[in-house]
Amino acid sequence: MANSVPAIKQEMLDAIGAPSIEALFEQIPADHRMTRELALPPALRSEAELRRHLLAILRKNEDCETNLSFLGGGCWQHHVPAICDEIAGRSEFLTPVWGTPSSDHGRNQAWFEFTSQLGELLDMEIVGLPVYSWGCAAGHAIRMASRLTARHEVIVPRIIDPERLSVIRNYCEPQEMPSHIAVAEIGFDASTGLLDLAELEAKLSSRTAAVYIETPNYLGVIETQAGEVAALAHRAGAEFIVGVDPISLGVLAPPADFGADIVVGTTQPLGVHMNCGGGTGGFIASRDEERYAREYPSLLVSIAETVQPAEHAFGLSLLHQSSYGSREHGKDWTGNSVYLWAISNAVYMSLMGPEGFREVGELIIQQAHYAAKVLAEVPGVDIVFPGGFFKEFVVRFDASGKTVRDVNRALRERGIFGGHDLSAAFPALGQSALYAVTEVHSRSDIDRLAASLAEILSR
């Protein structure tokens, strides 16, 4: 502890054989260290002052419950059944003690239900426990492909969440690192939003470990050429990794149907609230082949017979190859994970069932396409990729002469959160925003958005 008395600090240094506290930080370059005092506000003198201070900060927040929100881009406002929170909040899941039969058996069974249900939805046999985010899952999958192929390049689409791409690049490591994986990008058809297959074919080589795509992609477009991408990747000896929003799989074909070797994605739409500052959950799945199983960095849960006839138990498989089992010698370091969300996900999937996923998928598509149709009728609004999309679509305001920032500011004054501003990340799209419509949006919500935009753009 930073405020430990000198004698206790010295006792701890003696125990680990370090001459000084400074010696513990020698590995950090000097130019990476702060040389000035932190500019911290004065210390609060009591718990009452702290409470008042925090409440004042929290009152500045605006949420998606009291405002009408069309935000998406990786964290969406889907309906979370009350029972998801009820079960995930139970003490046996919220505060379990690892390594005790009273805790492990029930928790492992719940985790097994998560992996088996998600596997059925994805049409994949192996599903690991969730990692921190979709970006983390994609990064791990790319590193899995690199180990499988002994190659060190990945091809990714230019249409991708900038934050997710940043995470992927972190996982691929700097060029000077021995496990560096080069990241190459491929463009898209400006009229459809689909991948440029000619550019993909030109960039594939004997160095390519994997081709990574997403469907629907970051701008909402359903990638109808995925089967052709799979054929090109496999012809080059590369793994084919597909990122997917699992709530779309009630109406869209699972990636396994068009040749995916590894599937990744988010678990947030499956019973997890929108949140900021915590993991939203990401999954990794593959076929039941040993070559894939041996490369998983995440925890795997299996069912097995016990010494008692006709009795079964749930336990962790291949634990030794994870960072939990072998620390820095494991296949990869998974870092913070979101195992509690796996409980919420399992509850949500068990409630929905195949028919529930089909119904919610159909509702989302109907509402999203209704929204695109209504917004396209607003003067000054253009829908960029009006073809096949699931729940997100790109709205362009160039014809209105207004910026997305101006539009979003005016919408907020009316209690509406507009779409993500794409103008900086995708300048070729002009003043465009990514709008998300889910099952929580009614037609009156959409009509309210359209009427507000019409009023704002007419001024």
Side-chain angles (χ1 to χ4, degrees):
M1 297 290 291
N3 60 351
S4 296
V5 297
I8 293 177
K9 290 180 182 178
Q10 190 59 51
E11 184 180 348
M12 290 190 287
L13 289 171
D14 293 341
I16 62 175
S20 65
I21 291 176
E22 179 63 25
L24 300 175
F25 301 98
E26 286 180 350
Q27 60 183 320
I28 302 175
D31 59 346
H32 285 210
R33 301 192 208 179
M34 182 174 286
T35 57
R36 59 175 174 79
E37 291 290 326
L38 282 172
L40 296 175
L44 297 172
R45 297 180 177 276
S46 68
E47 181 179 323
E49 286 185 74
L50 174 61
R51 183 176 185 275
R52 190 181 307 116
H53 174 68
L54 290 177
L55 288 175
I57 293 175
L58 291 172
R59 275 194 292 269
K60 297 178 182 179
N61 284 340
E62 294 185 50
D63 59 54
C64 297
E65 296 295 336
T66 54
N67 293 272
L68 175 58
S69 173
F70 293 92
L71 291 168
C75 187
W76 303 271
Q77 188 178 14
H78 287 283
H79 175 63
V80 178
I83 195 171
C84 293
D85 295 332
E86 176 67 25
I87 293 181
R90 290 182 63 89
S91 59
E92 53 264 51
F93 294 128
L94 188 61
T95 56
V97 181
W98 283 58
T100 58
S102 60
S103 172
D104 286 3
H105 188 76
R107 186 195 60 232
N108 288 351
Q109 181 175 357
W111 284 347
F112 180 82
E113 297 297 340
F114 161 80
T115 59
S116 59
Q117 289 180 102
L118 188 53
E120 185 174 349
L121 187 62
L122 298 167
D123 198 18
M124 285 288 189
E125 295 88 2
I126 299 181
V127 179
L129 288 183
V131 292
Y132 196 70
S133 67
W134 185 339
C136 293
H140 281 305
I142 290 166
R143 290 172 66 88
M144 287 171 65
S146 181
R147 294 193 295 269
L148 283 164
T149 61
R151 298 178 177 183
H152 298 280
E153 180 187 79
V154 61
I155 297 176
V156 303
R158 196 160 296 137
I159 293 181
I160 190 171
D161 178 356
E163 290 186 9
R164 186 146 59 243
L165 179 59
S166 177
V167 173
I168 288 172
R169 289 188 184 279
N170 284 343
Y171 273 80
C172 291
E173 300 195 4
Q175 191 167 351
E176 59 269 19
M177 300 291 286
S179 55
H180 167 68
I181 302 171
V183 179
E185 296 181 19
I186 51 170
F188 58 95
D189 186 307
S191 62
T192 65
L194 298 173
L195 288 169
D196 185 335
L197 295 187
E199 185 180 354
L200 170 61
E201 189 167 13
K203 287 188 174 179
L204 280 164
S205 70
S206 59
R207 301 186 304 275
T208 308
V211 174
Y212 172 71
I213 72 166
E214 296 174 355
T215 182
N217 67 23
Y218 178 61
L219 301 184
V221 178
I222 298 169
E223 183 53 68
T224 55
Q225 305 173 124
E228 297 168 69
V229 176
L232 290 171
H234 292 152
R235 194 181 308 150
E239 297 290 318
F240 183 39
I241 306 172
V242 178
V244 68
D245 177 351
I247 207 167
S248 71
L249 298 180
V251 290
L252 300 181
D257 285 9
F258 47 80
D261 300 305
I262 304 173
V263 182
V264 300
T266 178
T267 62
Q268 186 266 326
L270 309 179
V272 177
H273 296 279
M274 300 177 82
N275 69 88
C276 178
T280 50
F283 66 82
I284 309 170
S286 70
R287 297 189 298 275
D288 186 12
E289 295 178 14
E290 187 172 352
R291 61 189 292 264
Y292 291 110
R294 293 289 180 185
E295 297 301 333
Y296 269 79
S298 54
L299 296 180
L300 301 172
V301 183
S302 290
I303 185 171
E305 295 180 347
T306 72
V307 293
Q308 297 295 326
E311 186 180 84
H312 292 79
F314 302 88
L316 302 179
S317 300
L318 301 176
L319 178 66
H320 65 282
Q321 68 189 37
S322 71
S323 56
Y324 293 94
S326 299
R327 311 312 289 171
E328 69 271 19
H329 300 296
K331 290 294 181 180
D332 235 332
W333 185 268
T334 55
N336 289 343
S337 298
V338 288
Y339 301 143
L340 184 62
W341 292 154
I343 307 299
S344 295
N345 300 148
V347 174
Y348 182 88
M349 288 187 284
S350 66
L351 286 172
M352 296 292 285
E355 280 301 300
F357 273 99
R358 181 186 61 78
E359 290 174 7
V360 75
E362 289 177 350
L363 177 59
I364 290 170
I365 281 187
Q366 290 167 5
Q367 297 296 73
H369 281 256
Y370 172 76
K373 176 178 177 294
V374 170
L375 296 186
E377 295 171 356
V378 176
V381 170
D382 175 34
I383 305 301
V384 178
F385 304 120
F389 60 87
F390 178 55
K391 67 183 180 186
E392 293 179 285
F393 54 92
V394 178
V395 178
R396 183 161 52 203
F397 299 102
D398 285 0
S400 72
K402 295 186 182 294
T403 65
V404 174
R405 184 177 181 180
D406 291 338
V407 172
N408 281 352
R409 185 185 296 117
L411 285 172
R412 281 190 65 182
E413 292 172 356
R414 293 161 172 80
I416 300 174
F417 294 157
H420 276 299
D421 190 344
L422 300 172
S423 58
F426 299 92
L429 298 178
Q431 288 299 316
S432 294
L434 183 65
Y435 276 72
V437 176
T438 73
E439 73 281 7
V440 304
H441 295 99
S442 66
R443 296 219 165 182
S444 62
D445 292 334
I446 296 166
D447 292 341
R448 176 185 166 195
L449 170 65
S452 297
L453 284 175
E455 180 187 0
I456 293 165
L457 301 181
S458 66
R459 294 182 175 181

